[in-house]
Amino acid sequence: MDVLTWTVERRARLAERAELLRKELAGIEAEVARLEAAEVVFGQWAEATDGGGRPSGIVSPEPEPEPEPEPEPLRKLADRGWISRTGAGRYLPC
């Protein structure tokens, strides 16, 4: 292989590698920009909420109340057929 051929091939490989590195760098720069934006948003949130010490104004949904347990004696009477249970959970005499 002569020097000219080696030089041309080497330059082509390096040009391909440089293009890959440029693409990788662009991806890294995009991620850095997203992280910088996240830092700004978090900083504003921390200032507004005193570092999370004060409520942010975001309201969490309240948990649903647990259903009341059925009174055991009424259920026993319903099982025996002496009273019946309505769809609303109430008991009526049969």
Side-chain angles (χ1 to χ4, degrees):
M1 176 185 299
D2 64 354
V3 174
L4 181 59
T5 304
W6 178 86
T7 305
V8 170
E9 289 176 357
R10 179 77 174 145
R11 183 192 51 77
R13 280 194 304 258
L14 290 175
E16 289 174 8
R17 175 121 169 105
E19 182 60 30
L20 290 174
L21 290 172
R22 277 192 284 277
K23 287 179 182 178
E24 184 179 354
L25 178 60
I28 290 171
E29 287 175 339
E31 185 174 356
V32 167
R34 285 192 301 272
L35 290 173
E36 286 173 347
E39 287 176 17
V40 169
V41 170
F42 181 74
Q44 291 173 347
W45 173 82
E47 288 175 6
T49 62
D50 196 22
R54 289 190 330 221
S56 64
I58 299 172
V59 179
S60 300
E62 292 185 20
E64 296 203 13
E66 294 187 24
E68 294 182 20
E70 291 185 27
E72 192 68 30
L74 292 178
R75 189 168 57 191
K76 285 182 180 178
L77 292 174
D79 290 344
R80 293 180 185 151
W82 294 355
I83 60 175
S84 63
R85 185 169 188 237
T86 67
R90 297 185 178 172
Y91 292 91
L92 299 174
C94 289

